[in-house]
Amino acid sequence: FAKPNIVVYTERILNDWIEEDVKIINNCIQGTLADNFPQVEKNIISSSADYVILLFGSEDILKGVDNETFIKKLDKLLQVALKKKIHPVLLTPPPFSEQITIKDYTLEDVQKHQAQLSDLIKKIYSLAENTPIPLIDLYSFFLENHLLYDHLFEGWLPYGVTQTAIASFIAREFLN
């Protein structure tokens, strides 16, 4: 499988910025954390990585997974990584924009899901504040950069111009 552009861009940037050879292993699994938890847990357990970046949330909300279930599963993955001596890094998902193009999706649906995502982001912030686990905040990054926000594919997926910006942001945050 080919690596997604964002992974390739981040890997190239990190290799340019630091003296070590950086390889990013992409274990991206489409879908919800709720549906894919066993596979994600297995990928972490079988990994020999130094770091694992965990980005989930958008699809969980769109598929109706409640925030408490999501946080419990995310916390379990964090514990699995720490037990394996892998450094977890939390990554908040981008926001939903008003341009979301999901079939039969109304502005009211966007507002409801954005409110749930906002609540989930607060829980992720709290999780990061109460642990030594670093947080890379894509959610705020998009809200503070309207050009990026306006280029969310289908109103919620990073693509094109946003991927290069995200890669630079992640690399910079990762090295801080």
Side-chain angles (χ1 to χ4, degrees), residues 3-144:
K3 291 181 182 180
N5 288 340
I6 194 165
V7 173
V8 172
Y9 299 149
T10 304
E11 188 173 79
R12 284 183 186 165
I13 290 166
L14 286 170
N15 277 314
D16 283 347
W17 288 357
I18 61 176
E19 305 265 331
E20 298 174 34
D21 186 32
V22 175
K23 294 286 183 230
I24 297 176
I25 300 166
N26 178 41
N27 281 322
C28 179
I29 298 175
Q30 288 187 322
T32 68
L33 176 57
D35 292 340
N36 293 303
F37 180 82
Q39 182 62 47
V40 175
E41 182 180 35
K42 180 180 162 198
N43 289 352
I44 292 172
I45 289 170
S46 65
S47 174
S48 61
D50 294 317
Y51 293 88
V52 60
I53 298 175
L54 298 168
L55 166 63
F56 297 103
S58 298
E59 285 192 61
D60 292 87
I61 288 171
L62 293 173
K63 301 276 173 137
V65 176
D66 69 277
N67 287 352
E68 296 307 318
T69 299
F70 175 86
I71 289 294
K72 284 179 187 172
K73 290 187 180 286
L74 181 60
D75 187 51
K76 172 103 166 93
L77 289 179
L78 294 172
Q79 299 312 314
V80 167
L82 291 169
K83 184 177 180 183
K84 183 93 165 82
K85 301 208 183 322
I86 298 172
H87 304 284
V89 178
L90 291 170
L91 198 66
T92 59
F96 298 119
S97 84
E98 298 76 21
Q99 299 174 23
I100 202 158
T101 59
I102 295 173
K103 187 179 178 190
D104 299 325
Y105 214 66
T106 66
L107 183 58
E108 185 177 291
D109 292 327
V110 173
Q111 291 168 340
K112 178 182 89 174
H113 286 116
Q114 185 64 309
Q116 184 182 355
L117 181 59
S118 180
D119 180 60
L120 179 61
I121 297 298
K122 288 176 188 169
K123 290 178 184 339
I124 293 172
Y125 289 163
S126 177
L127 189 62
E129 287 172 5
N130 295 317
T131 66
I133 298 169
L135 172 72
I136 299 174
D137 191 3
L138 283 182
Y139 182 80
S140 294
F141 181 63
F142 272 87
L143 291 179
E144 294 165 2

